[in-house]
Every structure is written in structure tokens, then in C-alpha cells.
Amino acid sequence: VQLQASGGGLVQAGASLRLSCAASGRTFSRYDMGWFRQAPGKEREFVAAIRWSGGRTYYADSVKGRFTISRDNAKSTVYLKMNSLKPEDTAVYYCAADPSLITSSITDRRQYVYWGQGTQVTVSS
């Protein structure tokens, strides 16, 4: 599967953005999907994930209550709505697909096999 992330940009603190990740192929609905981010000089970190059915979501503590992950299997797209953005949210955001469907490791980036190219989010203070 190929993933194409979009929707990043430069915004001021407190603003909102919605990231999209469009997937190719017919098997999108069989994958758990995740969003990760990587700031300069830091490791890639988990942001949010959603089960293949959309029935359960997971969030990093740093974004809980501000970010919402969702998916539309009919459109083969996963979204990340980001509200109340902070300068520390500045990073390249990556979407990824996990075909294993192993819930216990859904926050582990090593579980994800397919990755998008990333979209830059910059939040100014």
C-alpha cells in the first residue's frame, strides 16, 4: 500500500490543522493506522492510532484532548484533526499502516510496515 500525507503548514499557536493520509490499494480497511511525528534531533514518536474498524483510538498523552484521529474506509483515508496547536507540536508528521492488527503494540512504530512521506507542521509562538 502507498500512503500520501497532506495538510501540513505554518500556523500560530492555538490554531487548528487537519492532516489527511490517502492510501492506495484495496486493503486499507484491513490495516490499523497511525500517525507519528519527528522533530529535528528527536526520535520519531507516536501521536495517535486507530483500529482497522475505527472502533478504537489511541493517543499520546501529549496530544490527548487536542488531537482526534479518524478514518473513512470508503475513501481509504485517515485524518488527524489537531486543535490548540502548540510550538512543541512542530514536527514532520507521518502516517503509517500496520497490517498485523496486534493491538498491544499499536503505539510502537516498529509495528508499522507502510509509511507515507511526511508533511511538515510548524507552529509559531
Side-chain angles (χ1 to χ4, degrees):
V1 63
Q2 292 184 326
L3 304 174
Q4 181 74 34
S6 62
L10 171 62
V11 298
Q12 291 188 332
S16 298
L17 280 175
R18 190 180 79 158
L19 306 183
S20 299
C21 176
S24 64
R26 302 179 180 179
T27 56
F28 176 79
S29 62
R30 300 179 189 176
Y31 299 139
D32 293 338
M33 297 296 296
W35 285 97
F36 293 78
R37 66 187 182 187
Q38 188 167 18
K42 295 187 177 181
E43 290 192 353
R44 193 170 298 188
E45 64 175 2
F46 169 76
V47 175
I50 187 167
R51 296 301 320 278
W52 62 273
S53 64
R56 188 167 180 181
T57 57
Y58 306 79
Y59 297 95
D61 288 342
S62 60
V63 306
K64 201 170 293 183
R66 300 188 297 123
F67 291 11
T68 303
I69 188 171
S70 60
R71 66 189 296 162
D72 185 338
N73 285 344
K75 295 182 178 179
S76 296
T77 302
V78 62
Y79 305 97
L80 184 68
K81 180 65 186 301
M82 306 184 294
N83 295 328
S84 303
L85 282 161
K86 303 175 181 180
E88 50 263 45
D89 295 319
T90 295
V92 177
Y93 282 72
Y94 299 89
C95 60
D98 170 17
S100 75
L101 305 183
I102 300 174
T103 305
S104 61
S105 58
I106 199 170
T107 64
D108 187 343
R109 68 177 188 269
R110 295 170 296 180
Q111 197 63 42
Y112 291 78
V113 175
Y114 306 104
W115 291 83
Q117 86 289 0
T119 185
Q120 176 71 47
V121 172
T122 303
V123 185
S124 63
S125 57

